[in-house]
Amino acid sequence: LFVVGLPVVIVYFLMKWLHVESTMLLYAFALVGLFLLPIAIMSIAVGRDLTLLRPDYLLVPIFRAFRPYLVPVILLGVAIGRQVPISQYAHQEPSVAGCYLLLNVAVQAVFMIAMRSIGLFYRHYSCHLTW
């Protein structure tokens, strides 16, 4: 997460330093990081080496099996997109907070399905992995 999120952090601090405000640019870099996150998780989990996070190792399997790779990206995007707004339920009524907690558990289930789909992508499309 740190490696694929590093460009967002760098662009954020550069924009602060240059006094530029462009949230669309930050969102674009965040989406690229989100898009690369499943392949980075798989590369580190299977290869156990940080040198596997080279751009040529990350991008080749994505381009060769784009549609199957899109499934874990969409699942992770849904899980992250739902997790952010429902995590602030501290000042809610108990019934509303209970609903948010239930939705939080559902988001965790989607996240586990996303992690499983990353493993399935590796199992069925490992021929496209250059390492």
Side-chain angles (χ1 to χ4, degrees):
L1 180 63
F2 177 75
V3 172
V4 296
L6 190 61
V8 177
V9 174
I10 291 171
V11 167
Y12 174 76
F13 283 117
L14 278 175
M15 288 173 54
K16 283 280 197 187
W17 184 59
L18 296 172
H19 303 292
V20 176
E21 292 192 25
S22 174
T23 56
M24 293 306 291
L25 182 65
L26 282 176
Y27 288 150
F29 273 94
L31 284 175
V32 168
L34 173 66
F35 191 74
L36 292 176
L37 182 62
I39 200 79
I41 289 172
M42 185 184 64
S43 297
I44 294 300
V46 175
R48 290 181 168 69
D49 190 8
L50 285 177
T51 60
L52 295 177
L53 294 176
R54 295 181 2 202
D56 58 336
Y57 286 166
L58 292 179
L59 297 177
V60 169
I62 294 172
F63 290 135
R64 289 190 180 163
F66 183 75
R67 287 190 301 170
Y69 180 75
L70 204 54
V71 172
V73 170
I74 290 171
L75 287 171
L76 275 176
V78 166
I80 291 170
R82 290 302 329 144
Q83 183 69 32
V84 172
I86 64 174
S87 62
Q88 294 91 18
Y89 50 83
H91 302 291
Q92 301 290 335
E93 294 181 21
S95 61
V96 175
C99 291
Y100 281 148
L101 284 172
L102 185 62
L103 189 57
N104 202 349
V105 169
V107 167
Q108 299 308 316
V110 172
F111 189 73
M112 287 188 287
I113 293 169
M115 292 295 110
R116 180 66 183 141
S117 66
I118 293 171
L120 289 174
F121 180 82
Y122 170 72
R123 183 175 182 172
H124 294 288
Y125 296 98
S126 60
C127 59
H128 296 307
L129 301 172
T130 54
W131 42 270

